[in-house]
Amino acid sequence: MLDFNLAQVFIQFAVLLFSLTIHEMAHAWTANRLGDPTARLLGRVSFNPIVHADPIGTVLFPLIALIGHLPLLGWAKPVPVNTRQLRNPRRDYMLVAAAGPASNLALAIVSAFTLAALPISPVVLGEANVSAPLATFLSLAVQLNILLAVFNMLPIPPLDGGNVLRGLLPPRFASMLDQIRPYGFMLLFALLLTDGFYYLVLRPSNFLRSWLP
């Protein structure tokens, strides 16, 4: 018999959906600001989660993780970027890639300071209490957005960190990194199934969390 709290699953899923929406919107907004309107014309500069949702990465995979008590991670539909329309393709594509994790860090910081300033009312049976669910939402937003930022900045294509690294490397080495791209998801699954996830994602996430209130 599965052991899970339906209300907790709902809140965690809502936080993830909101976080992924902001992440993808940040990619689309940045690309548009840097000269490529492709994503904007497709409606991706939007707070509407439906335009960003991926059936597997946004719904199925996270729900399996939540019910199975696994690390909560997910992904949304990639934002299309036409590098030929960017003013400085190599530099600007790197900035577009970095915008997603940066938006998650910003969300984590805002959520942490909001949570620190929020007066929490004690839960009394039979009385309405808005502050407790809000505190739970904000606390999860801090943890999850730091986790998403760190995970996405791993220098493994197709993650954002791989695209940022590609922009920093000399062209010859960037081409070598491109050869790894078809095997990126295999590397990520290997990471999730080994201690590498703990050392490369969870420990840095906990360190960053310790810096916030």
Side-chain angles (χ1 to χ4, degrees), residues 34 81 83 86 88-98 163:
L34 294 174
V81 179
T83 56
L86 297 172
N88 186 329
R90 184 175 171 82
R91 181 206 64 189
D92 291 351
Y93 187 63
M94 180 177 65
L95 294 175
V96 171
N163 293 325

Side-chain angles (χ1 to χ4, degrees), residues 93-112:
Y93 187 63
M94 180 177 65
L95 294 175
V96 171
S103 72
N104 290 128
L105 279 180
L107 269 176
I109 293 170
V110 170
S111 298

Side-chain angles (χ1 to χ4, degrees), residues 6-86:
L6 185 60
Q8 188 76 358
V9 167
F10 176 80
I11 293 175
Q12 289 180 300
F13 183 73
V15 172
L16 178 67
L17 189 60
F18 177 71
S19 303
L20 291 177
T21 297
I22 297 298
H23 180 106
E24 297 303 330
M25 189 181 74
H27 284 314
W29 182 86
T30 304
N32 184 63
R33 294 286 295 179
L34 294 174
D36 176 27
T38 304
R40 177 179 61 80
L41 295 174
L42 291 172
R44 299 298 298 274
V45 184
S46 171
F47 286 105
N48 180 3
I50 295 175
V51 303
H52 304 290
D54 175 84
I56 303 297
T58 313
V59 181
L60 182 61
F61 187 82
L63 287 178
I64 291 173
L66 285 168
I67 295 171
H69 303 290
L70 302 172
L72 179 59
L73 287 171
W75 62 89
K77 290 189 297 187
V79 166
V81 179
N82 185 349
T83 56
R84 290 175 295 181
Q85 297 198 60
L86 297 172

Side-chain angles (χ1 to χ4, degrees), residues 105 142-143 145-151 153-154 191 195-212:
L105 279 180
V142 175
Q143 299 172 35
N145 277 283
I146 291 177
L147 187 66
L148 286 173
V150 173
F151 180 75
M153 280 307 293
L154 290 175
L191 186 70
D195 289 340
F197 185 79
Y198 172 75
Y199 289 107
L200 296 178
V201 179
L202 292 183
R203 287 191 66 175
S205 298
N206 292 335
F207 174 74
L208 288 175
R209 177 66 185 92
S210 69
W211 282 61
L212 295 175

Side-chain angles (χ1 to χ4, degrees), residues 146-193:
I146 291 177
L147 187 66
L148 286 173
V150 173
F151 180 75
N152 275 288
M153 280 307 293
L154 290 175
I156 302 173
L159 294 180
D160 296 323
N163 293 325
V164 170
L165 180 61
R166 189 185 189 285
L168 295 172
L169 291 173
R172 182 165 64 93
F173 291 105
S175 298
M176 293 173 61
L177 187 65
D178 286 338
Q179 296 176 15
I180 302 175
R181 189 172 295 271
Y183 310 101
F185 277 108
M186 295 175 61
L187 293 173
L188 292 175
F189 276 112
L191 186 70
L192 288 170
L193 297 173

